[in-house]
Amino acid sequence: LADEVVGLADQALRLEGGRVLATGPAHSVLRAGETHVDNHLEAECSGPEQVTVDGVALRLSLPEGMAGRVRLAIYAHDILLARELPHALSARNVLSTQVVELTPAGGFVLVSLALAGLVATLTPEAVAELALAPGVEVLALLKATSIDCLGPA
């Protein structure tokens, strides 16, 4: 239900026990308290099943007839990072970018990326194994089915 509201509304109000808990951008307010980290961005439809973000083409499933600017959502836990190009992979999107910042957040690490301001969540072990640090070049891997179109921008 929250995904539907985010697709329809820019602002939201969160109530609990008759009290206002939060108000602001729908995607932030409706996801408050969840462990998921959302990436919300705008893109331009550039072909069937394709959009362009920061000059980079992304493959995804678009609603029939969708055109122009669209809003997209990608969970941070759906973004995989690699230091070298994997082979025989089902992910339709393999994007070169750089690590901007690493932020410990409980039992995981938020990895901020240069491309479109994306944030990925990784375990501390994965961060250490990949030797991630600001400035390190990585590949962000996204399945086309992990990118949700929320409607026109």
Side-chain angles (χ1 to χ4, degrees):
L1 179 62
D3 288 335
E4 292 174 15
V5 174
V6 168
L8 296 171
D10 293 326
Q11 299 289 312
L13 176 77
R14 187 180 190 110
L15 297 171
E16 187 173 302
R19 296 184 335 191
V20 175
L21 291 183
T23 163
H27 60 82
S28 297
V29 171
L30 295 172
R31 295 291 183 196
E34 291 187 8
T35 58
H36 299 298
V37 176
D38 290 346
N39 289 285
H40 291 272
L41 42 136
E42 289 189 12
E44 185 72 31
C45 291
S46 54
E49 309 296 305
Q50 184 172 301
V51 298
T52 303
V53 178
D54 284 354
V56 175
L58 290 177
R59 307 273 310 157
L60 71 157
S61 296
L62 288 170
E64 190 174 325
M66 187 63 65
R69 293 201 58 78
V70 294
R71 293 183 302 143
L72 305 176
I74 307 165
Y75 280 130
H77 67 262
D78 284 337
I79 300 173
L80 300 176
L81 299 182
R83 293 291 302 270
E84 55 189 52
L85 186 62
H87 300 283
L89 186 68
S90 66
R92 301 293 89 198
N93 300 290
V94 180
L95 314 166
S96 290
T97 188
Q98 273 188 341
V99 173
V100 173
E101 183 178 21
L102 300 169
T103 307
F108 59 94
V109 178
L110 297 172
V111 181
S112 299
L113 304 171
L115 178 68
L118 290 174
V119 175
T121 53
L122 275 68
T123 63
E125 295 81 10
V127 169
E129 185 176 310
L130 293 170
L132 297 182
V136 169
E137 296 285 332
V138 294
L139 297 168
L141 298 98
L142 294 162
K143 292 174 49 176
T145 56
S146 293
I147 304 170
D148 293 324
C149 180
L150 301 177

